Amino acid sequence: LHLVQNLRVSDRCAHSSGTRGWGGGGKWGVKKVMSTIEWQLLFQKRCPSRGTFTAWCNSHLRKAGTQIENIEEDFRNGLKLMLLLEVISAERLPKPDKGKMRFHKIANVNKALEFISSKGVKLVSIGAEEIVDGNLKMTLGMIWTIILRFAIQDISVEETSAKEGLLLWCQRKTAPYRNVNVQNFHISWKDGLALCALIHRHRPDLIDYSKLRKDDPIGNLNTAFEVAEKYLDIPKMLDADDIVNTPKPDEKAIMTYVSCFYHAFAGAEQAETAANRICKVLAVNQENEKLMEEYEKLASELLEWIRRTIPWLENRVAEQTMHAMQQKLEDFRDYRRVHKPPKVQEKCQLEINFNTLQTKLRLSNRPAFMPSEGKMVSDIANAWKGLEQVEKGYEEWLLTEIRRLERLDHLAEKFKQKSTLHKSWTTGKEELLSQKDYESASLMEIRALMRKHEAFESDLAAHQDRVEQIAAIAQELNELDYYDAATINARCQGICDQWDNLGTLTQKRRESLERVEKLWETIDQLYLEFAKRAAPFNNWMDGAMEDLQDMFIVHNSFFVHTILITAHDQFKATLPEADKERMAIMGIHNEILKIAQTYGIKVVGENLYTVLSPQDISNKWEAVKQLVPMRDQTLQEEVARQQSNERLRRQFAAQANIIGPWIQTKMEEISHVSIDIAGSLEEQMSNLKTYEQNIINYKSNIDKLEGDHQLSQEGLIFDNKHTNYTMEHVRVGWEQLLTTIARTINEVENQILTRDAKGISQEQLNEFRASFNHFDRVIMQLYPNCRISMFFFLYFQKRNGMMDPDDFRACLISMGYDLGEVEFARIMALVDPNNTGVVTFQAFIDFMTRETAETDTAEQVMASFKILASDKLYITVEELRRELPPEQAEYCISRMTKYIGGDAPPGSLDYISFSSALYGESDL
């Protein structure tokens, strides 16, 4: 007892002098003479680790309903030691021996030590006999070994060792706090601020760090111990006085105590990490579902618009008037200019959204999106193709109907003109033929009446041709389904009936005149001659006037020159001969006057043989001469109109011949950019954006061409020999150009998305692209029966971003792959799941990055949920709402199925099937 008291005095001296170890100065002599028993007594009384290790063991043993009082005594039989190992490892040890003899105890301790060794721990100089004998040093060494293996070894931050990992964790957690600088596991913890900072960092509600003082280490330490024991279930393992009054506190004791904080808080951090992973996965699913819904909505709206538009275009009920048909044509132009272009953009955007969605699903390890039945991109393309076919037929029908109505209007006007002339000629003829003036006439009058009737018959025969023309025009109007055919038919029937009646009356009058003609002897031959020659000449002048006023319809200046003007010139060439006939007729009249003057005959009244007078012939001749220059002017105006139309043709052709090759050039440039590996994807994107802006800026040229096309249609111009490009060709090419640039930009965006998501460098991507382009030989020979009549598809004859299986195999071999038939078949199933016979660049990139890419999996999500559920196979609604943000929590609750198991409380949810479903087929 005296020796131990002296040792305590030496201990105090060592503390007061600040020296390391037991004793100091001249005390080495005392230290050297200490016996083994004295050292053991000193170790038992002054070892801080003993209390810490005891408290640590009890923190685990209490879970099994027991504890230890004396660490070197209570582990001697090995039973509690085996129980401690079972609790901290969650594993079953061999069944302990029941006996109380020494060899039973040694056997049980050996079972514990063998279990520790099975965990990869080397026990140096620690045997079962020392533990059974109550060797405190060996017992504490064994417990420290257990603590290192089960409490500290798994602590590793940034690939550091266990001790360094625990120290790094403490440094990171306490870095923001004033007066805290953790550099080790002894003196850095003496003022208690580091422990308080660890608690405050994770549970700021338990400690008000701002009120702590560095000069109150005892208070700080006790505050940390009390709060940890009360709220964190960490028993008090250290003594504040020992830590403060010891120059260098026990490192093992502090590491043991601090490791409890790590395990207490690491669980929360692990749960937070798991929750973040789950939120990220759910966010991807929610975004994908939103994109799917948007695709479905846009596809439905576009298909509905096509469904509504096609019946309108299929309605081929012709209007009766030119004005109504022109209005239909204008409505169709509004559809082309106003209503259809936005739908073209929607169709293109729909395809882009579909490709982007598939890329996102592929990058997030989700299955491909399958739209609802009838809403595939191919379905929309087929519906659009049907719309354009109906649209083309509708335009052709409109133009045909307009031509038909134009012809009908021309014929109706011609019918009206000829009918009016005929009516004018027949006016009074029936009354004249019905007269019986011959009954009281003189001989001369009878002869005059006879000659007059013969002249009438000649005139009647001459008008037969006009009646036949009127009937032919009426028949053509009926065949062309003229809307007012009933009126035409009625008028034609009236003319024919009147004509038949005139023939009957003429025949009857001739018979009457011939019956009395023998009673009359002399007829003035000159009057008769005048009448006979004047009537045909008058009829010729009527026909000439009719021809000079005849209406015509032509579509080119060639017809005007070769037919109309030539015919008119020929007519003018006959005028001198006609003038001679007129002079001859007028000579007959002059001869009558001369004879009458010579023989003193007084001529009274008009020529009885004809209603025509010399003045009538002269007046009508003057009328014919006036109509000739008018006809000249009309033909010249028509020539000018045709020349104007020709200018419109040339103007349209000049622009079309520029725009067509420009569109073709842009298509080729875009195809070159899409396969050019020079520069980064961002540079490609910039180039494509520049192309897109140039294309958008070029739209004004298309609009101007549309304006010229509209002027051509308004001028009824339906052909153009100066260009092979029609407006329809340009429209299709323009829409294809817009769609191609948009799709190309989308493909580059998807490549950027793939590159960033897969974590591949620009150099790797360039290498992939170079390898792909070298073997990209799929050209138009893949489609030998495809007849592309549009010049805009010329760029398809170059590389088109696909490889056939043989080229793909050669490409893989060139990159170092050793391919057998089975392995190559597996790879082809990945890159060409639909058996199209070609490998796209996007599928090639996905394959090259899929094997090494880091993607979230269903197993990772299950593991995260298991952490939140505290290792249970189910999770409760309360746990979800506590660990996840409200939106994600409700998302899981609404989609998880109920957990089927007898050990789960009511309302528990099955997170395992939910995690698997996240990577299965979508509901849409």
Side-chain angles (χ1 to χ4, degrees), residues 528-721:
L528 181 60
E529 182 69 16
F530 177 88
K532 287 183 176 181
R533 297 185 69 171
F537 184 71
N538 181 69
N539 187 63
W540 176 86
M541 288 192 294
D542 286 340
M545 293 176 66
E546 184 177 346
D547 290 340
L548 290 172
Q549 299 178 79
D550 190 19
M551 301 176 65
F552 53 83
I553 177 172
V554 295
H555 294 289
N556 56 71
S557 58
F558 175 79
F559 184 83
V560 177
H561 283 289
T562 59
I563 305 299
L564 298 180
I565 293 180
T566 300
H568 186 58
D569 291 340
Q570 292 173 354
F571 169 76
K572 289 192 293 183
T574 64
L575 288 179
E577 188 66 27
D579 192 40
K580 290 180 181 180
E581 178 66 14
R582 182 187 65 83
M583 294 298 293
I585 294 172
M586 296 305 294
I588 294 173
H589 177 67
N590 294 334
E591 185 68 20
I592 292 173
L593 294 179
K594 182 178 179 181
I595 292 173
Q597 184 179 3
T598 301
Y599 296 97
I601 298 173
K602 184 178 181 181
V603 179
V604 179
E606 299 178 352
N607 190 338
L608 297 178
Y609 303 114
T610 181
V611 295
L612 296 173
S613 66
Q615 189 62 42
D616 292 334
I617 298 297
S618 298
N619 291 340
K620 193 166 288 188
W621 178 254
E622 292 299 323
V624 169
K625 290 197 297 183
Q626 290 177 1
L627 287 175
V628 170
M630 292 175 62
R631 183 69 169 183
D632 287 334
Q633 182 180 357
T634 302
L635 291 175
Q636 291 304 317
E637 290 175 352
E638 181 61 26
V639 169
R641 189 175 78 86
Q642 292 301 328
Q643 289 175 346
S644 175
N645 288 349
E646 183 65 13
R647 285 193 298 273
L648 287 176
R649 290 187 181 96
R650 292 181 182 276
Q651 181 176 334
F652 176 87
Q655 293 187 78
N657 289 336
I658 294 174
I659 292 175
W662 183 89
I663 293 177
Q664 175 183 345
T665 300
K666 290 302 175 185
M667 294 285 274
E668 293 174 351
E669 290 176 354
I670 292 170
S671 68
H672 289 161
V673 171
S674 65
I675 65 172
D676 186 9
I677 62 171
S680 64
L681 288 176
E682 284 73 12
E683 292 172 346
Q684 270 200 55
M685 178 64 70
S686 176
N687 292 337
L688 288 172
K689 290 290 186 181
T690 301
Y691 277 114
E692 184 180 39
Q693 189 59 47
N694 291 338
I695 291 170
I696 293 173
N697 294 338
Y698 200 76
K699 180 64 165 58
S700 59
N701 297 308
I702 305 298
D703 295 338
K704 187 175 185 303
L705 191 65
E706 282 281 6
D708 291 343
H709 176 65
Q710 182 172 344
L711 291 176
S712 297
Q713 286 193 335
E714 291 172 352
L716 301 178
I717 301 172
F718 304 110
D719 60 334
N720 195 334
K721 65 181 180 180

Side-chain angles (χ1 to χ4, degrees), residues 199 218-234 236 257:
I199 297 173
I218 298 294
N220 297 337
L221 289 168
N222 286 329
T223 298
F225 296 156
E226 293 169 3
V227 168
E229 187 170 29
K230 183 176 181 180
Y231 297 103
L232 304 179
D233 197 25
I234 298 175
K236 183 178 179 181
Y257 187 61

Side-chain angles (χ1 to χ4, degrees), residues 788-848:
I788 303 177
S789 61
M790 306 299 293
F791 65 93
F792 306 107
F793 298 100
L794 180 62
Y795 75 101
F796 276 125
Q797 298 172 4
K798 305 187 188 311
R799 297 181 181 271
N800 63 350
M802 293 185 292
M803 285 194 293
D804 63 19
D806 291 338
D807 288 338
F808 180 57
R809 177 193 290 271
C811 181
L812 292 180
I813 292 174
S814 71
M815 299 181 70
Y817 280 80
D818 184 11
L819 296 175
E821 290 299 328
V822 176
E823 176 63 13
F824 184 68
R826 181 190 72 83
I827 295 175
M828 283 301 299
L830 294 175
V831 298
D832 184 21
N834 297 324
N835 293 322
T836 60
V838 292
V839 179
T840 64
F841 179 67
Q842 187 61 49
F844 176 74
I845 289 296
D846 289 342
F847 168 73
M848 294 304 297

Side-chain angles (χ1 to χ4, degrees), residues 72 76 102 109 125-136 138-139:
E72 67 273 21
R76 291 179 63 184
R102 176 178 174 81
V109 172
S125 302
I126 298 178
E129 291 79 3
E130 288 84 352
I131 305 301
V132 173
D133 292 339
N135 187 319
L136 178 61
M138 292 299 179
T139 302

